[in-house]
Amino acid sequence: MIMKKDVPVSIHWFRRDLRITDNKALYYALRSRKRVLPLFIFDDHILDPLARDDHRVSFIFDSLHEMHQALQQQGRGLLIRKGKPADVFQQLLSEYAVEAVYCNADHEPYGRERDRMIAELLKNNGVAFHRYLDHVIMKFDEVLTAQGTPYQVFTPYSRAWKGLLKPQHTEHFSSEQHLNALLEDERGSFPGLDEIGFRRSPRQAPPKTLDAAVISTYHQTRDIPAIEGTSRLGVHLRFGTISLRSLVRKALQLNEVFLNELIWREFYAMILWHYPEVVGQSFKPSYDRIEWRNDPAEFERWKSGTTGYPMVDAGMRQLNATGYMHNRLRMITASFLTKHLLTDWRWGEAYFAEKLFDYELSSNNGGWQWSAGTGCDAAPYFRVFNPEAQQKKFDPQLRFVKTWVAEFGSKVYPDPIVGHNMARERCLHVYKAALSG
């Protein structure tokens, strides 16, 4: 058995890259000519605010356990720790002869600050810190305007993104072929979910299966919520249980519209990287002058799916029951909350952050600000989705509505919380007043 302090080791720190295959940082760690300790930290900073049955924690736990079992077949296994990352690394440095730490980078404000602190800790202990870009294709300063500034509109960004794309951007990193470089003596017992302080959520994530037929027809089916016309891979992209590079390669073969959706995700990540202030304020500062109504009772009806608008209610009930909402419904429900009810987009953004399996700060923030008209490349404020028109266009036979709103058409289903025409005129008046002030 290898003694902990006898052999120099590298650590691969899993974060949002929960897979063994095609993992860039893991690949470089395994090729570093050092034994590699695979580590995951259940981060107290992230976990403490969550409900004890949070479905994302169950998903992460199960993904880690699946990796651990796969590694056990080769006499290896994951090291799982819980706590604040700085405390965990301080302890690991006392246990192991650590020479380097490898991980894949994060673009969110907390992740960037966490990594700054860990980099300083490691430097003070003479340990190298290597970070790689794995969850997006392009570096955040790689796709810039002719003036060298970040794009703020999606279409020219996506055009430039595609023009810069080269085969090396989507190459496969064969980390799965070098697992014999992992430490042999870290097989120990895998902790139970209760030992991390959580209990299992009954919600199940969509499977990690790329359906080529769905991708091939994505441009025809993606807006129809009653059918399986989307990949449902959002949670797997969020936590890295599937390689983005593999998805981009498939999208290039099968469907440009699907590729555009992957680029939208990257666009919003780029925006958050360059403009982290969007977390708490509108991308367009003038929109922070909007006088939101913020009626708590109306917000509760929106959350519970009892607004009297069946397309809105069906979307909210799907979210509450499954942790998933179809993308077309995300736009409809967000527009309704911000424009029909004049509720601050930050209220809705926080609710989605609590409920969505695939919650990702940049995409959630970008999507909500798009719907509210306050963000970069947003829908103009005078575009107010009509939920009834949306239902007639995308669910004309009421298949989706009847799946989630069983009482629709009966006397118990509520009347609309607000009339569309009145709400639209009120919205336009309030927005105009804010922008002219």
Side-chain angles (χ1 to χ4, degrees):
M1 177 178 290
I2 298 173
M3 301 302 292
K4 291 182 178 180
K5 277 291 190 179
D6 288 348
V7 178
V9 301
S10 295
I11 290 176
H12 173 73
W13 182 13
F14 285 101
R15 286 108 67 97
R16 50 177 303 151
D17 56 332
L18 306 183
R19 66 185 188 282
I20 296 168
T21 300
D22 191 17
N23 184 315
K24 189 185 293 188
L26 179 60
Y27 171 82
Y28 284 111
L30 294 170
R31 299 296 300 273
S32 68
R33 299 185 180 180
K34 301 286 190 300
R35 288 296 191 184
V36 177
L37 172 64
L39 167 72
F40 184 85
I41 302 171
F42 279 100
D43 185 341
D44 284 346
H45 290 295
I46 297 172
L47 297 185
D48 285 350
L50 302 179
R52 294 300 93 182
D53 63 346
D54 189 281
H55 44 298
R56 281 78 56 101
V57 177
S58 292
F59 176 82
I60 292 168
F61 178 86
D62 290 343
S63 299
L64 292 168
H65 191 252
E66 180 182 333
M67 279 201 297
H68 182 72
Q69 288 185 313
L71 292 176
Q72 279 196 308
Q73 295 177 9
Q74 302 188 37
R76 276 88 175 164
L78 293 176
L79 177 63
I80 304 295
R81 293 287 172 94
K82 182 178 182 296
K84 295 179 174 61
D87 295 340
V88 171
F89 272 101
Q90 195 70 64
Q91 181 65 34
L92 290 172
L93 293 176
S94 71
E95 296 176 12
Y96 293 89
V98 181
E99 293 199 351
V101 173
Y102 291 76
C103 64
N104 288 308
D106 199 344
H107 68 280
E108 297 184 0
Y110 167 70
R112 294 171 70 179
E113 176 60 19
R114 173 202 59 205
D115 286 359
R116 186 196 64 77
M117 293 175 59
I118 296 301
E120 184 176 352
L121 170 65
L122 296 176
K123 181 180 179 181
N124 290 340
N125 285 272
V127 177
F129 190 34
H130 304 290
R131 281 169 285 183
Y132 299 87
L133 207 59
D134 184 76
H135 72 294
V136 293
I137 299 297
M138 300 286 180
K139 297 175 184 176
F140 294 117
D141 58 356
E142 193 169 356
V143 185
L144 299 173
T145 68
Q147 292 72 41
T149 58
Y151 281 96
Q152 297 183 6
V153 177
F154 173 74
T155 299
Y157 171 84
S158 64
R159 190 180 302 121
W161 190 100
K162 292 172 185 175
L164 290 169
L165 187 67
K166 295 178 175 61
Q168 57 262 37
H169 282 111
T170 60
E171 69 177 298
H172 180 93
F173 289 86
S174 56
S175 46
E176 67 280 3
Q177 295 181 15
H178 302 281
L179 298 178
N180 58 347
L182 294 174
L183 276 176
E184 295 93 339
D185 65 335
E186 292 301 333
R187 290 177 291 173
S189 62
F190 196 86
L193 193 56
D194 58 332
E195 295 177 67
I196 302 162
F198 285 78
R199 58 183 181 274
R200 179 161 296 282
S201 168
R203 294 177 182 168
Q204 296 295 312
K208 184 176 58 181
T209 305
L210 177 62
D211 190 327
V214 169
I215 303 306
S216 296
T217 58
Y218 181 80
H219 59 294
Q220 299 170 326
T221 60
R222 67 183 181 129
D223 283 319
I224 307 172
I227 65 176
E228 292 293 333
T230 62
S231 72
R232 300 288 295 270
L233 291 174
V235 64
H236 299 287
L237 275 172
R238 169 62 184 88
F239 294 108
T241 54
I242 191 169
S243 162
L244 171 63
R245 290 180 293 275
S246 68
L247 281 186
V248 171
R249 290 195 301 269
K250 280 292 183 184
L252 288 166
Q253 296 171 7
L254 298 174
N255 198 302
E256 187 175 13
V257 176
F258 183 71
L259 176 65
N260 286 341
E261 292 302 304
L262 298 176
I263 301 174
W264 265 109
R265 173 180 172 272
E266 196 147 315
F267 174 70
Y268 283 141
M270 178 274 297
I271 290 294
L272 180 60
W273 175 271
H274 287 288
Y275 306 100
E277 63 272 15
V278 298
V279 173
Q281 65 190 55
S282 299
F283 183 86
K284 301 172 183 174
S286 58
Y287 284 77
D288 279 329
R289 296 197 295 264
I290 294 172
E291 293 189 15
W292 303 107
R293 294 176 62 252
N294 291 341
D295 185 305
E298 292 182 353
F299 185 54
E300 289 302 315
R301 287 187 63 177
W302 176 82
K303 290 197 297 184
S304 63
T306 54
T307 67
Y309 282 89
M311 202 66 162
V312 174
D313 295 342
M316 295 306 299
R317 295 186 195 188
Q318 181 187 41
L319 173 65
N320 292 332
T322 69
Y324 169 80
M325 187 191 290
H326 187 279
N327 190 56
R328 169 58 55 175
L329 273 298
R330 297 187 196 201
M331 292 187 284
I332 294 171
T333 56
S335 175
F336 186 85
L337 182 70
T338 56
K339 294 182 174 176
H340 281 70
L341 302 184
L342 282 174
T343 299
D344 193 327
W345 58 267
R346 283 159 280 231
W347 288 32
E349 181 195 35
Y351 190 70
F352 273 26
E354 175 188 341
K355 296 294 183 180
L356 282 171
F357 253 119
D358 60 7
Y359 165 68
E360 184 157 19
L361 174 58
S362 49
S363 295
N364 193 47
N365 180 278
W368 271 94
Q369 294 219 45
W370 184 92
S371 295
T374 64
C376 63
D377 199 18
Y381 77 85
F382 48 81
R383 182 189 298 168
V384 181
F385 282 165
N386 182 335
E388 293 177 335
Q390 292 285 309
Q391 178 262 303
K392 290 176 181 177
K393 184 174 182 179
F394 298 113
D395 192 35
Q397 297 177 325
L398 297 170
R399 290 171 57 196
F400 181 76
V401 164
K402 290 181 178 178
T403 297
W404 293 105
V405 188
E407 76 276 23
F408 175 69
S410 72
K411 293 181 179 180
V412 299
Y413 186 65
D415 292 330
I417 192 172
V418 63
H420 170 69
N421 291 333
M422 186 281 284
R424 183 179 184 279
E425 291 305 314
R426 181 175 65 184
C427 170
L428 296 181
H429 174 75
V430 169
Y431 272 64
K432 283 179 183 177
L435 297 178
S436 63

